[in-house]
Amino acid sequence: MNKKLTFTDLAAAAKRLRTDIPEIRAVAATESTNKGFLDDGRIIIRFEGHIFRKYTGGKFDTSHPTLSHRYMEDCPYNQGVASDYKRLAVAMSLDAEAALKACSWGMFQVMGFHFATLGFKTVGAMVDALKESEGRQLDLFCTFLIKMSLDDDLREHRFTDFALRYNGINFRGDPRTKDDDYDLNLLKNFIRFGGKLTPVA
């Protein structure tokens, strides 16, 4: 089965969201550099320790402080996908459901705890669906935007509003590392993929 995203997938998603392809590619580039899978075939993930803490009531804060902790703007425990897979494996041994909920998954980095919003009975079922292909990841991304009424923000290029609701209240970049804000990265990627802003009348 071909797991790669196709132009047909993008065109269908743009039609569904009533937008254009650059808007969609901009989100994918901002979230995952346009990749849903590693070269070895594993799905792209990011393990969020503060989310694992939330769903386990903080009971692993002392025994596993690199897995269960308060939110940190520049978390030192997020060292890339390979590292996060190791953290996920340990977290799964402690509480599998909470561990899956605490990861963002695939090209569009949708959080596991959104499984019910996406129409799944379990987070495991959602993860299995996302593992199918980048096209399936795009399809569920579209569903998420529509269910959360985020499609309008993306279509109308309200990138700051989109960033706040899609990425969370901490979407601003870290001035210590000179990271760009999420909304600015989104705008830059939108323009890079040929997007054009509609002039304000």
Side-chain angles (χ1 to χ4, degrees):
M1 179 180 179
N2 181 21
K3 288 190 172 186
K4 290 292 186 182
L5 197 63
T6 67
F7 179 81
T8 300
D9 294 328
L10 286 165
K15 182 177 180 180
R16 186 179 174 196
L17 294 174
R18 295 179 292 124
T19 189
D20 294 311
I21 290 174
E23 285 84 347
I24 296 168
R25 296 189 69 188
V27 179
T30 303
E31 287 289 344
S32 66
T33 63
N34 277 304
K35 289 180 64 175
F37 297 93
L38 297 172
D39 291 341
D40 61 13
R42 290 180 297 170
I43 188 171
I44 297 284
I45 67 165
R46 179 180 172 90
F47 183 84
E48 301 285 7
H50 65 289
I51 302 296
F52 185 68
R53 181 178 191 265
K54 173 182 176 180
Y55 285 104
T56 55
K59 64 183 179 182
F60 300 113
D61 285 7
T62 300
S63 61
H64 295 80
T66 66
L67 301 180
S68 179
H69 52 77
R70 296 183 183 277
Y71 174 79
M72 289 181 273
E73 186 171 4
D74 188 22
C75 181
Y77 309 128
N78 287 115
Q79 297 292 324
V81 179
S83 173
D84 276 354
Y85 262 107
K86 294 177 181 178
R87 297 171 72 211
L88 174 61
V90 178
M92 290 279 290
S93 72
L94 301 174
D95 187 322
E97 182 177 0
L100 295 178
K101 288 179 179 178
C103 280
S104 53
W105 299 89
M107 181 178 285
F108 299 93
Q109 290 291 281
V110 175
M111 290 299 304
F113 60 76
H114 289 305
F115 70 93
T117 299
L118 290 171
F120 294 96
K121 291 184 178 179
T122 67
V123 61
M126 184 194 100
V127 171
D128 287 343
L130 290 166
K131 288 179 178 178
E132 291 176 12
S133 67
E134 290 177 349
R136 187 73 167 116
Q137 293 172 18
L138 175 57
D139 179 57
L140 291 175
F141 166 72
C142 291
T143 298
F144 181 74
L145 293 195
I146 293 167
K147 288 284 187 73
M148 300 297 290
S149 299
L150 278 161
D151 51 324
D152 290 341
D153 289 338
L154 187 62
R155 183 187 316 110
E156 297 172 10
H157 307 145
R158 299 195 298 263
F159 293 137
T160 299
D161 292 338
F162 182 89
L164 176 61
R165 298 182 58 214
Y166 190 81
N167 192 247
I169 61 173
N170 300 294
F171 72 91
R172 298 294 184 191
D174 187 343
R176 294 169 298 177
T177 59
K178 295 183 170 59
D179 288 340
D180 285 337
D181 296 344
Y182 185 99
D183 55 345
L184 182 56
N185 278 326
L186 198 57
L187 174 60
K188 287 180 176 178
N189 285 321
F190 171 66
I191 294 171
R192 179 162 67 94
F193 290 116
K196 298 185 183 301
L197 296 173
T198 302
V200 177

